[in-house]
Amino acid sequence: FLLMIVVLRGCWRVLDMDYRERVFQQVLTLLEEEDWSHTCVPLEPCCHRMASLEPRLIVEHCLRCYGTEAVHPSTGEVSFELMEEKVCQFYAELLLRSVDKVGDDSI
């Protein structure tokens, strides 16, 4: 279970699952549109392209939650490698949310 906690205006906040889903789906769609590899998602271009949709803080936070940060040694450019296990957990949680919950009395 991945808890997406972010600091907004000095207060800790938990991102709503529906909001987290929307933002991360937008990031994944952008990867396809730009033909970026999941192993090297460039932070600045990603945040710039999504600026009209979501706040930079949230986009960057999603990348940090589902990926590992890397800094190019010569350019200093920050990119993220999306981690397969975390992305799979995201989709599993998404799929399981839509399944009816099993109560103790039905086991």
Side-chain angles (χ1 to χ4, degrees):
F1 178 68
L2 181 63
L3 198 61
M4 295 201 36
I5 300 172
V6 64
V7 178
L8 293 172
R9 295 179 207 94
C11 297
W12 290 93
R13 305 285 186 212
V14 177
L15 295 182
D16 177 73
M17 179 61 180
D18 291 333
Y19 182 58
R20 177 172 47 135
E21 172 191 343
R22 187 180 81 223
V23 173
F24 194 56
Q25 290 285 14
Q26 290 170 342
V27 169
L28 294 175
T29 299
L30 183 60
L31 259 67
E32 288 181 40
E33 289 173 359
E34 294 295 323
D35 200 27
W36 292 333
S37 169
H38 71 282
T39 61
C40 187
V41 182
L43 176 62
E44 290 304 321
C46 183
C47 289
H48 178 72
R49 285 284 314 273
M50 292 189 62
S52 64
L53 303 171
E54 303 297 340
R56 177 190 174 91
L57 175 72
I58 302 299
V59 174
E60 188 170 344
H61 184 70
C62 279
L63 290 171
R64 289 186 192 288
C65 286
Y66 293 108
T68 302
E69 183 177 337
V71 179
H72 193 279
S74 61
T75 64
E77 208 173 290
V78 177
S79 63
F80 286 86
E81 176 181 358
L82 295 182
M83 305 307 294
E84 183 177 345
E85 183 176 322
K86 290 181 181 181
V87 175
C88 288
Q89 286 174 349
F90 165 77
Y91 279 113
E93 187 177 349
L94 194 62
L95 291 171
L96 291 173
R97 263 189 5 176
S98 64
V99 175
D100 289 335
K101 295 184 180 178
V102 177
D104 292 336
D105 57 340
S106 65
I107 297 177

